[in-house]
Amino acid sequence: MSDQTPKIKIVGRIFVNFEIHALTGLHIGGAAGTLAIGNVDNPVIRNPFNSEPYVPGSSLRGKMRSQLEKLYGLAQNTSIGRDVSIHSAKTQAEYDNSPVLHIFGIPASDFLTEPTRLIVRDAALSEQTRTAFRDARTDLPYTEVKWEAAIDRVTSAATPRQQERVPAGAIFDGALTFTLYNDQDTKLFNTVIRGLELVEEDYLGGQGARGSGQVAFKNIVISFQHHEKSVLEKHKVASLVELRALWSAQGYAAK
């Protein structure tokens, strides 16, 4: 580790609240051994206090990072757990020139880095969805059970399996906070918007190749608090397209 102490100053924060709309069934896996709800092979993650499914901030944040690393062709060169690797910098120059690493951070290094800029909060069911699902006759509380069949390529024998999903139409209340350590970080926020766009283009959670996890980010409320000057006050837009246009109109378009 370097013995140099970086000078970190928070100059402002961007706060974004948004709705995550499940356009298809959503499966973000939970631990089967800790849930006593039915006998589903692959349960979704639930809040242990109220048993409601939710979207972990780590799932959305990790998906954004993964998609951005693929977009920029970055090598998965650092293990952070079993079967999970991320891209990290090996040199100061590589770190300095990477918007992804400035936004999401990297493990301890031998050169100067800054704290992560992006925080993504857990997203709970919206009150509208909570009320609708209480009245619906779903397979399990707030969820459906999707049956699938794996086909043996030699014998053609079918092996049935279950996937628990939050039904299409569910809405979650999401939020993120982006910290600015200098005024140039407003440009970095364009990469955050791109990360959300990439999630919309791909999927969130598991079983995406089989139709699950298509989401859209809607009804976005953004506010920008700067500690030294007046900037963007609370503003509401309908979609990521409008959010990108709004950010560009403030003079913060990507280079």
Side-chain angles (χ1 to χ4, degrees):
M1 292 290 293
S2 169
D3 59 358
Q4 294 179 274
T5 302
K7 296 179 181 178
I8 305 296
K9 180 182 179 182
I10 298 175
V11 301
R13 282 196 165 103
I14 300 168
F15 300 96
V16 185
N17 293 81
F18 50 87
E19 293 177 349
I20 305 172
H21 288 239
L23 304 183
T24 63
L26 181 63
H27 175 86
I28 298 179
T34 62
L35 299 173
I37 300 175
N39 296 311
V40 179
D41 296 334
N42 294 303
V44 301
I45 191 167
R46 293 175 182 266
N47 183 323
F49 289 103
N50 57 21
S51 296
E52 293 181 3
Y54 70 100
V55 176
S58 58
S59 294
L60 177 54
R61 189 178 187 278
K63 185 70 178 186
M64 292 169 65
R65 178 172 191 151
S66 172
Q67 288 290 292
L68 287 166
E69 289 179 348
K70 290 182 173 66
L71 178 69
Y72 295 124
L74 303 176
Q76 311 292 297
N77 55 12
T78 302
S79 174
I80 58 171
R82 191 178 68 178
D83 301 327
V84 179
S85 295
I86 61 170
H87 174 72
S88 187
K90 301 303 181 184
T91 66
Q92 182 75 55
E94 186 180 0
Y95 174 80
D96 290 343
N97 294 316
S98 174
V100 173
L101 300 184
H102 281 86
I103 292 169
F104 294 94
I106 63 173
S109 64
D110 294 327
F111 45 85
L112 296 179
T113 62
E114 295 170 334
T116 179
R117 286 168 168 77
L118 180 64
I119 298 170
V120 182
R121 313 291 186 188
D122 290 349
L125 282 176
S126 70
E127 188 58 39
Q128 172 189 352
T129 297
R130 185 177 294 117
T131 301
F133 281 19
R134 280 174 182 162
D135 297 333
R137 301 177 65 179
T138 53
D139 299 317
L140 294 171
Y142 307 105
T143 64
E144 63 181 356
V145 177
K146 180 173 180 282
W147 283 87
E148 298 178 347
I151 308 298
D152 188 290
R153 299 296 188 271
V154 177
T155 65
S156 296
T159 302
R161 58 191 179 194
Q162 301 168 313
Q163 301 288 345
E164 186 183 18
R165 307 193 309 177
V166 180
I171 301 173
F172 297 85
D173 292 325
L176 62 84
T177 299
F178 185 79
T179 301
L180 286 78
Y181 298 124
N182 58 69
D183 286 341
Q184 287 69 47
D185 284 350
T186 52
K187 304 289 185 182
L188 281 179
F189 188 68
N190 288 283
T191 303
V192 175
I193 298 173
R194 186 67 184 121
L196 293 170
E197 292 171 340
L198 289 169
V199 175
E200 279 191 348
E201 295 169 9
D202 202 72
Y203 62 88
L204 183 60
Q207 317 302 328
R210 294 196 288 272
S212 299
Q214 184 180 8
V215 298
F217 301 98
K218 300 182 180 181
N219 298 323
I220 302 164
V221 178
I222 181 172
S223 59
F224 179 9
Q225 298 178 2
H226 196 287
H227 294 170
E228 298 176 354
K229 57 187 177 182
S230 176
V231 286
L232 185 68
E233 296 182 353
K234 186 175 289 186
H235 200 100
K236 184 175 182 178
V237 296
S239 65
L240 292 177
V241 172
E242 293 186 11
L243 177 61
R244 181 173 288 284
L246 172 66
W247 202 241
S248 178
Q250 304 302 310
Y252 307 136
K255 297 179 181 176

